[in-house]
Amino acid sequence: MRDFSADHRWLSLNTATVRKQGDLLQIIEACARHGIRAIDPWRDQVAAVGLDRAVRAVRDAGLDLTGYCRGGMFTSDAARRTEVRDDNRRAVDEAKALGAPCVVLVAGGLPQYSRPGSVASKDIAGARAQVHEALAEMLDYARKANVPLAIEPLHPAYAADRACVNATKQALDLCDALDPGCTGALGVALDVYHIWWDPELMPQIARAGKDRLLAFHVCDWLVPTRDILNDRGMMGDGVIDIRSVRAAVEAQGFAGYSEIEIFSNDWWSRPMDEVLSTCIERHRSVV
């Protein structure tokens, strides 16, 4: 396993970590101040400054990208299927313009939560079938653009409203069904916040292998967690054995960035420079 203690060259910042402190351009400037050389931007942040301006800012700062958040939210009622398809195609086009190595996908939960206004449903099996179908369609488009797709399984607490793909095995089953040749067009983004609890995690990481491991995200699980969405912990403040998960991922040949992604009302209330300094320190000492 790589030693991160001497520097933070393999730290990537998911820009949601400081989304309340500044816009994308200000985040990029702050990364330059702190010597952070990679980011994963969110679509709403790119839209707020304009795609062309975001492309220039990333290029001028010499930043690598570790992904683009996010595509997916595939589940909807029939009236919104075209909306879903077109939105995900735009995500691919934006990622290609930015030079992102993948689009991170959150599958979507029940239709009324993934695409507000959809007819309400309690059919989670049907939602999962719809994810399979819509992902296959998106994959065809993404292949032509040469933009890989990374399915991110989310903790089961999010099954209803955000993602009915909740375990690494589920995500890999989709990969094997839709990309049996393991071409690199489809893989997984593994976030320790969502997968640390899974008793099958280590064998599923081994199953993924190097070609399916497209992104690796870190933060921590606090006890107690006061808000399942917006109370993630800074690495080292919670119960996740982050290094054991990173060791397993790197044992398969993953040699990319460890991407820090923290949704936290606490950390959003602090100055951006304090957050980034803490990210760097914990990347060296905990990750």
Side-chain angles (χ1 to χ4, degrees), residues 151-166:
I151 306 166
E152 182 177 9
L154 265 57
H155 189 280
Y158 297 97
D161 61 343
R162 292 180 180 272
C164 57
V165 175
N166 308 114

Side-chain angles (χ1 to χ4, degrees), residues 1 3-8 11 234-237 242-243 246 260 277-287:
M1 188 170 75
D3 181 2
F4 288 168
S5 63
D7 58 50
H8 58 283
L11 184 162
M234 181 66 68
M235 298 79 67
D237 289 347
I242 298 171
R243 283 191 176 171
R246 181 164 72 89
I260 297 173
S277 294
T278 306
C279 285
I280 291 168
E281 187 275 321
R282 299 296 180 86
H283 175 82
R284 294 181 176 184
S285 63
V286 177
V287 175

Side-chain angles (χ1 to χ4, degrees), residues 32-196:
R33 288 198 302 273
H34 288 269
I36 294 172
R37 63 186 198 131
I39 63 170
D40 181 350
W42 279 67
R43 293 183 68 196
D44 64 316
Q45 294 172 304
V46 169
V49 301
L51 178 60
D52 290 344
R53 195 174 181 194
V55 168
R56 289 196 303 273
V58 168
R59 181 193 62 219
D60 292 348
L63 289 172
D64 288 341
L65 267 63
T66 50
Y68 188 48
C69 289
R70 65 187 178 195
M73 291 297 179
F74 292 117
T75 52
S76 72
D77 61 16
R80 289 167 174 76
R81 300 290 164 78
T82 300
E83 170 193 321
V84 172
R85 181 201 66 195
D86 292 348
D87 183 47
N88 278 298
R89 289 182 176 182
R90 285 192 296 272
V92 169
D93 295 342
E94 293 162 15
K96 185 175 181 66
L98 286 160
C102 63
V103 176
V104 177
L105 302 178
V106 171
L110 298 174
Q112 64 269 32
Y113 301 110
S114 298
R115 298 285 167 172
S118 293
V119 175
S121 170
K122 296 183 179 180
D123 183 6
I124 194 166
R128 288 173 174 145
Q130 192 178 141
V131 168
H132 185 288
E133 180 181 348
L135 177 58
E137 182 177 51
M138 184 181 183
L139 181 60
D140 285 342
Y141 187 84
R143 283 185 191 276
K144 295 172 185 175
N146 197 30
V147 175
L149 304 178
I151 306 166
E152 182 177 9
L154 265 57
H155 189 280
Y158 297 97
D161 61 343
R162 292 180 180 272
C164 57
V165 175
N166 308 114
T168 305
K169 181 182 185 301
Q170 286 175 279
L172 291 174
D173 286 349
L174 284 167
C175 291
D176 288 349
L178 298 175
D179 181 38
C182 202
T183 64
L186 185 63
V188 293
L190 297 184
D191 186 327
V192 297
Y193 187 77
H194 296 299
I195 62 174
W196 72 274

Side-chain angles (χ1 to χ4, degrees), residues 14 16-17 42 70 152 154-155 158 162 191-194 217-222 225-235 237-238 259-267:
N14 186 292
T17 303
W42 279 67
R70 65 187 178 195
E152 182 177 9
L154 265 57
H155 189 280
Y158 297 97
R162 292 180 180 272
D191 186 327
V192 297
Y193 187 77
H194 296 299
H217 299 182
V218 297
C219 60
D220 218 332
W221 185 282
L222 300 178
T225 294
R226 296 166 294 181
D227 182 316
I228 195 66
L229 180 61
N230 294 326
D231 193 30
R232 296 191 187 193
M234 181 66 68
M235 298 79 67
D237 289 347
E259 179 181 319
I260 297 173
E261 182 181 32
I262 302 174
F263 294 5
S264 167
N265 291 321
D266 177 17
W267 288 99

